[in-house]
Amino acid sequence: YLKVSISGFLTLFSARTGRNFFFSTRPSLVLLCGAGFSLLVSSLIASLLPDGTLDNVKIDGLANGPSSAHKAMPVWVWLYCLAWWLIQDFFKVCTHEILDRFNLFEYKTVLMRDKIKGASSTNEPVEVVTTTTTPAKAAQKEAEPAEQLISQMDIDVDADVDHNEHEHEPAFTTD
């Protein structure tokens, strides 16, 4: 229980910063207080729960036990969660970097389409033609402004489209 509670909140702190490390943006005071209070209560419940049974299953708190090793168990759970959280956050940033650099799964094309559709006042289908490029060319294109990318892809966001004509066609196609 304690591991799930801790890792869930730590994942929240990692996910809220998107492609950046968790420490890149300070969380709000409300989030810090809410998480701190919840983690304190979870730690106390998991550590100090008295011996008993729940649905005919024996339960007891992590710190309940005859040896000092039992008393240190919540600390070890916290250290385990913190270590894996740092690893998780590192790989989150690396994954975003790889996706950006190599446009894996053509996710940048999908993001660009959504940005174009959001800028358009109608929900018209947008055709985007992608080509295979080398990583060096892809890195060079990343530095170009979005307007240049749109003009290079020959996308007409203001085109008049007969929606009945394209009713059964996908809104987004690649060649």
Side-chain angles (χ1 to χ4, degrees), residues 114-147:
D114 292 343
K115 185 181 271 187
I116 292 167
K117 278 189 155 186
S120 176
S121 61
T122 63
N123 290 326
E124 306 161 349
V126 176
E127 184 175 329
V128 177
V129 178
T130 60
T131 59
T132 306
T133 60
T134 63
K137 285 184 180 178
Q140 181 183 6
K141 281 192 173 195
E142 284 180 8
E144 297 175 2
E147 294 81 21

Side-chain angles (χ1 to χ4, degrees), residues 112-113 115-117 119 126-128 144-157:
M112 183 62 70
R113 178 210 58 200
K115 185 181 271 187
I116 292 167
K117 278 189 155 186
V126 176
E127 184 175 329
V128 177
E144 297 175 2
E147 294 81 21
Q148 289 177 347
L149 285 174
I150 292 170
S151 66
Q152 287 175 359
M153 291 189 291
D154 293 328
I155 297 172
D156 186 5
V157 294

Side-chain angles (χ1 to χ4, degrees), residues 24-149:
S24 64
T25 306
R26 189 181 81 74
S28 70
L29 186 60
V30 172
L31 179 61
L32 281 175
C33 291
F37 178 75
S38 296
L39 288 169
L40 175 68
V41 170
S42 296
S43 296
L44 290 174
I45 290 172
S47 301
L48 305 175
L49 190 69
D51 294 344
T53 59
L54 181 64
D55 293 333
N56 296 324
V57 176
K58 183 183 177 313
I59 59 169
D60 59 350
L62 289 174
N64 294 343
S67 68
S68 60
H70 284 93
K71 308 248 184 282
M73 185 62 72
V75 174
W76 289 112
V77 172
W78 266 93
L79 291 174
Y80 175 86
C81 290
L82 288 170
W84 279 106
W85 176 47
L86 295 173
I87 293 168
Q88 169 189 316
D89 200 55
F90 172 77
F91 279 103
K92 174 198 73 171
V93 172
C94 289
T95 301
H96 275 287
E97 182 64 29
I98 290 168
L99 285 171
D100 285 346
R101 182 164 292 157
F102 300 109
N103 193 21
L104 291 180
F105 312 113
E106 296 184 3
Y107 95 104
K108 280 185 166 182
T109 307
V110 173
L111 291 175
M112 183 62 70
R113 178 210 58 200
D114 292 343
K115 185 181 271 187
I116 292 167
K117 278 189 155 186
S120 176
S121 61
T122 63
N123 290 326
E124 306 161 349
V126 176
E127 184 175 329
V128 177
V129 178
T130 60
T131 59
T132 306
T133 60
T134 63
K137 285 184 180 178
Q140 181 183 6
K141 281 192 173 195
E142 284 180 8
E144 297 175 2
E147 294 81 21
Q148 289 177 347
L149 285 174

